[in-house]
Amino acid sequence: MADNEQQVLYFDDIEEGDQAPVKKHRITRTDMVRYAGASGDYMPMHHDEVFAKSIGQPSVFGHGMYSMGLLGAAITDWVGKTSLTKYKVRFSSQTWPDEELRTEVTVKGKTVDGQRHLVDMECRLLNADGDVKVIGEAQAELPARN
Amino acid sequence: MSEESQVDPDLANLIGKPTGKSKVVLERGPVAYFALAVGDKSPIYKDTRAAKAAGLQAIPVPPTFAFAWDTWGKFPEIQPEDDVPQGSAVGEVVGSLMAKGGTILHGEQEFVYHKPAYVGDVLSGEGKVVDAYRKESKGHVMTFVVTEMIWCDDKTGDPVVTSRSNIIHRL
């Protein structure tokens, strides 16, 4: 989907096992600095290589909330920007400069709660080797046809 | 693996403790820049025409922006008088743990969205510690502190976002 299109995803049109389009991104040190500025999180291990090495890390590493944000963008690209009702992750491992990250968002179930049509998803951010960076779940309320 | 939960009276006392109040204004520039920083290039976050075309009343905010919005819109003159010491809800708890040394890790993060948040909204948040426990694992003492911040629309009082953070102190 082009960046400037927002197609409406309907409850009726998805099934358990469906997956959101995969979002891939090679994380750079510039991404880490930009996220530090955008979030106000200037913990030095995310932008200061000298500091990161002084505490025994091989290099700077990405903010956990950057990983959650990137994965969140893949979810809202699919379900819509104002559809989420819940989004929760566990931070499993660090992200390192130049790793190719990819999102994986899978529908786990659909429920109708009165007038509300809810979709539960399982979501993960992984690197090219399949190492899990964050794993979690999200729920969206989608419009129904008719 | 030997992993054992411990009951610690100091930690038990932490549960329910307030972590501060805050009032924030959701501003357009920071929202557009935050969206870019998490790799979301949608024009909905920067162009009111794109937001309107998508059927939205205003520019919405990215799903994780709630973790960063008091960096931007927490203006001093609108803060509640009875605020607990300055700093974020998480910061206060983290500070007391770090006095012992060790490392702080963000273990889990959860958001519950009661209604969408939009640029221009003014939100009031109130935080507290909702859980605290300690485990020993692989030779480390791990202290888990779960804080919760509930953000409500300042005009209506309706809840907008609940943010829950599980912060781990590893010694």
Side-chain angles (χ1 to χ4, degrees):
Chain A
M1 201 197 306
D3 282 337
N4 60 352
E5 285 175 32
Q6 166 114 346
Q7 291 171 357
V8 175
L9 183 70
Y10 286 94
F11 182 79
D12 315 62
D13 297 343
I14 55 170
E15 290 173 21
E16 192 175 325
D18 282 357
Q19 294 197 313
V22 173
K23 202 175 164 83
K24 284 187 183 174
H25 182 72
R26 191 173 63 83
I27 183 173
T28 64
R29 287 175 174 80
T30 304
D31 291 323
M32 297 172 194
V33 171
R34 189 185 293 111
Y35 186 79
S39 67
D41 183 345
Y42 283 102
M43 298 271 266
M45 60 281 205
H46 301 306
H47 67 268
D48 183 339
E49 192 96 355
V50 176
F51 176 86
K53 286 183 171 165
S54 79
I55 58 166
Q57 300 291 340
S59 73
V60 290
F61 55 93
H63 300 74
M65 288 304 295
Y66 171 81
S67 294
M68 187 180 191
L70 194 67
L71 184 55
I75 301 169
T76 58
D77 273 353
W78 195 44
V79 300
K81 299 301 184 196
T82 56
S83 302
L84 280 182
T85 55
K86 286 179 200 165
Y87 179 30
K88 176 183 185 175
V89 303
R90 190 172 75 236
F91 301 100
S92 301
S93 61
Q94 291 146 297
T95 56
W96 302 102
D98 301 320
E99 274 191 305
E100 174 91 1
L101 302 174
R102 68 183 160 88
T103 62
E104 188 187 85
V105 180
T106 311
V107 174
K108 299 310 285 183
K110 295 169 68 177
T111 48
V112 179
D113 173 16
Q115 296 295 308
R116 306 178 77 206
H117 295 77
L118 302 171
V119 174
D120 287 290
M121 293 158 276
E122 192 177 79
C123 52
R124 304 196 294 176
L125 186 73
L126 310 123
N127 70 7
D129 295 330
D131 299 332
V132 176
K133 302 299 180 179
V134 302
I135 180 166
E137 53 201 64
Q139 185 187 65
E141 182 176 355
L142 296 183
R145 292 192 185 276
N146 74 53
Chain B
M1 236 185 338
S2 66
E3 234 180 61
E4 204 177 313
S5 264
Q6 296 171 356
V7 179
D8 182 313
D10 286 348
L11 284 180
N13 288 341
L14 204 55
I15 298 170
K17 190 177 177 238
T19 53
K21 292 181 183 176
S22 181
K23 193 182 281 196
V24 296
V25 181
L26 305 190
E27 295 184 292
R28 184 172 171 181
V31 165
Y33 196 69
F34 187 89
L36 184 72
V38 294
D40 195 326
K41 299 189 182 88
S42 170
I44 286 173
Y45 291 121
K46 53 187 174 198
D47 187 333
T48 52
R49 293 167 301 182
K52 291 237 158 63
L56 306 176
Q57 64 188 62
I59 292 176
V61 310
T64 59
F65 187 58
F67 201 80
W69 60 33
D70 65 3
T71 292
W72 292 104
K74 190 179 175 179
F75 303 134
E77 73 275 15
I78 61 170
Q79 295 314 304
E81 292 280 326
D82 55 343
D83 195 8
V84 187
Q86 285 296 315
S88 72
V90 177
E92 194 198 335
V93 175
V94 166
S96 64
L97 286 169
M98 280 308 280
K100 303 176 196 169
T103 311
I104 293 291
L105 304 164
H106 192 178
E108 291 180 5
Q109 178 62 35
E110 176 178 14
F111 298 104
V112 179
Y113 308 99
H114 309 284
K115 64 189 281 296
Y118 295 100
V119 164
D121 285 356
V122 179
L123 306 177
S124 282
E126 197 164 345
K128 65 179 178 187
V129 177
V130 290
D131 202 2
Y133 52 98
R134 188 164 286 150
K135 284 180 183 175
E136 273 186 40
S137 176
K138 298 172 191 167
H140 288 288
V141 179
M142 314 275 278
T143 305
F144 297 77
V145 177
V146 183
T147 59
E148 180 183 273
M149 190 89 175
I150 301 176
W151 295 94
C152 295
D153 187 298
D154 203 45
K155 276 190 212 131
T156 63
D158 293 337
V160 177
V161 178
T162 300
S163 170
R164 270 181 219 111
S165 309
N166 191 336
I167 301 299
I168 306 170
H169 177 251
R170 189 179 63 189
L171 193 63

